[in-house]
Amino acid sequence: MSIKNVEIPYGAYWSTPFTKWQGSLQHLHSMKFAAHVAKGELAKRNIDPLVFDSGVLGMTINQYQSFNGAPWPLYEIGAVNTAGHAVNQVCATSARGLFAATSEIVCGMANVSFLMTADRCSNGPHIYYPNAKGPAGSSEDQVTYNMMNDCIGGHSMMQTGENVATRFDITREELDAVTYRRYEQYQDALKDDQAFQKRFMTLPLSVPTANFKKEDTVITGDEGVFATTPEGLAKLKPIQEGGVITFGNQTHPADGNASMVLCRSEDAEALTTHPEIKIEVLGFGQARDDLAHMPAAPIEAAKRALAVAGVDIKQIKAIKTHNPFAVNDVAFAKAMNVDVMAMNNYGCSLIWGHPQGPTGLRAIIELIEELALIGGGYGLFTGCAAGDTGMAVVIKVSDR
């Protein structure tokens, strides 16, 4: 049964550029920066933060005093009496946060909900866990250690990609061809002075100092996107002996944030920049694959989301994925019988990077804008997350 009466007001969303590890956003507290950006973006759209009766924060990497979760950034934007909570499903955090906000509207807990997603992979915390019975303890670098050491199997994230490549008989040549195609698609977002990105992104972006009292620098777009050629990709050696994954056909850690307003259909007109465009949230799906096969989880998650929405994959006009590895897209396309080269128009996390929490939400925003440009239709977002899980969402863009 598809979801009813939940909309994303057109234009009531945004993303910052994503910047590379230790790049221009590495000094900013991710929650405070998300609130700083949101305050300005809401003002541009004449949206009063007091209208929010619920808030969701999607964040995966601890920040100083992040204990309270959503109430802190909600207060910072002016939603001083708005309750909220935080969610974390690593790379699927955006889809999970969207589900949480949608669920509160469906069950009558909220009329208008504000979803904020933020993360900073740079300067991730080093966490110490005391031993209550002695002087020793244990510690971890929250970001880097967990990317390299799965808590159940001990394997790295990259190994999950190699395992799925083996399952689907994916070659190195397939991965490099898809990677180059994704780079080409990203170039379309940069055409005409970044016209596509400026539909949802403030550019140039003034980056504040760590105390948010003055300007530190100005960025004009994503950082960490490298010029890519088929010849250059072919020269790279596999990271694992005998493997197919290289540093060229996988993503990179990044920093940034993205936010979105969700509401009941009757509240959308007051919050949108274009009342004639309707964006419906129709269904979600989640799945978990075999241990150490993370990139395959989005396949079943997508099938379940499509079933909930009552939509066939053949009806989908645009597909966006969170693809930390090109393996994700090739496996998905083979399993779902879709054209791998037609997915992820205008960009994806394989190219613009991976700040975890906001990664999926930027993709969903780009999905909305792609559908708006082609005249509407059904769209699918699906992506994987640590723990061999995946989440997916189906939306529809149409005339009101």
Side-chain angles (χ1 to χ4, degrees):
M1 184 177 181
S2 62
I3 295 165
K4 305 293 184 184
N5 198 41
V6 178
E7 294 189 22
I8 301 165
Y10 183 82
Y13 44 72
W14 54 86
S15 174
T16 66
F18 287 176
T19 63
K20 63 184 178 180
W21 180 283
Q22 303 305 119
S24 294
L25 303 181
Q26 57 124 339
H27 62 290
L28 292 169
H29 187 293
S30 63
M31 289 171 64
K32 293 171 70 175
F33 184 44
H36 171 83
V37 171
K39 193 171 183 179
E41 296 291 348
L42 290 169
K44 290 179 186 177
R45 293 160 176 79
N46 295 314
I47 297 176
D48 186 343
L50 294 176
V51 74
F52 303 133
D53 43 20
S54 173
V56 178
L57 171 67
M59 194 176 79
T60 75
I61 302 169
N62 291 350
Q63 299 283 271
Y64 180 70
Q65 282 203 305
S66 58
F67 184 83
N68 279 13
W72 181 12
L74 286 169
Y75 193 94
E76 290 294 318
I77 69 171
V80 296
N81 295 118
T82 301
H85 67 284
V87 296
N88 173 1
Q89 195 180 338
V90 203
C91 320
T93 293
S94 287
R96 178 62 63 182
L98 194 69
F99 174 75
T102 297
S103 299
E104 292 189 358
I105 295 169
V106 168
C107 70
M109 287 179 61
N111 297 328
V112 183
S113 184
F114 187 52
L115 170 62
M116 291 177 287
T117 60
D119 260 324
R120 187 188 71 193
C121 288
S122 298
N123 307 308
H126 180 82
I127 303 173
Y128 174 73
Y129 303 96
N131 180 357
K133 295 185 177 182
S138 60
S139 64
E140 65 176 353
D141 292 301
Q142 188 183 26
V143 179
T144 54
Y145 184 81
N146 286 289
M147 287 183 176
M148 298 301 297
N149 299 273
D150 181 83
C151 54
I152 300 172
H155 50 270
S156 67
M157 297 287 185
M158 186 202 68
Q159 185 60 56
T160 72
E162 292 288 359
N163 292 345
V164 171
T166 299
R167 178 191 286 182
F168 285 89
D169 194 24
I170 297 170
T171 67
R172 162 71 182 275
E173 290 72 25
E174 287 179 283
L175 298 184
D176 286 353
V178 168
T179 299
Y180 182 63
R181 171 61 179 154
R182 297 294 176 259
Y183 179 75
E184 287 184 318
Q185 290 166 306
Y186 178 76
Q187 301 313 301
D188 291 336
L190 305 183
K191 290 179 179 177
D192 302 320
D193 191 30
Q194 298 167 274
F196 180 81
Q197 291 182 343
K198 287 179 179 178
R199 295 171 72 93
F200 62 89
M201 190 182 289
T202 294
L203 295 173
L205 179 70
S206 174
V207 177
T209 55
N211 62 8
F212 293 89
K213 291 185 177 180
K214 61 181 182 179
E215 184 176 273
D216 180 71
T217 189
V218 174
I219 57 177
T220 58
D222 300 312
E223 289 181 354
V225 180
F226 294 97
T228 302
T229 65
E231 296 78 16
L233 289 168
K235 290 178 181 178
L236 297 174
K237 293 182 179 180
I239 299 169
Q240 178 178 296
E241 185 70 29
V244 294
I245 295 175
T246 70
F247 286 115
N249 59 41
Q250 65 174 301
T251 190
H252 59 276
D255 307 330
N257 60 72
S259 296
M260 175 179 286
V261 178
L262 292 93
C263 66
R264 303 178 303 170
S265 296
E266 51 264 45
D267 298 307
E269 185 174 353
L271 299 166
T272 181
T273 58
H274 288 78
E276 71 278 9
I277 300 177
K278 184 177 185 179
I279 308 165
E280 300 171 89
V281 180
L282 298 182
F284 293 89
Q286 62 178 347
R288 185 174 184 179
D289 210 286
D290 297 336
L291 180 66
H293 285 76
M294 178 182 71
I299 298 167
E300 182 61 30
K303 291 177 181 178
R304 295 177 183 181
L306 290 165
V308 170
V311 176
D312 188 270
I313 188 65
K314 294 178 182 178
Q315 296 174 267
I316 296 294
K317 294 290 185 68
I319 298 173
K320 279 283 191 178
T321 64
H322 162 50
N323 44 7
F325 306 102
V327 168
N328 289 60
D329 286 358
V330 179
F332 180 86
K334 288 186 175 185
M336 301 295 285
N337 194 28
V338 297
D339 182 0
V340 70
M341 298 304 189
M343 299 159 50
N344 284 311
N345 291 315
Y346 299 104
C348 58
S349 56
L350 181 67
I351 303 302
W352 35 246
H354 178 18
Q356 297 188 178
T359 305
L361 195 59
R362 174 169 171 177
I364 293 168
I365 290 169
E366 291 193 359
L367 177 63
I368 290 169
E369 292 297 348
E370 180 180 353
L371 289 168
L373 283 171
I374 63 175
Y378 294 103
L380 170 68
F381 166 78
T382 190
C384 65
D388 305 298
T389 67
M391 280 203 73
V393 58
V394 176
I395 64 169
K396 182 182 180 182
V397 175
S398 61
D399 294 332
R400 189 174 297 281

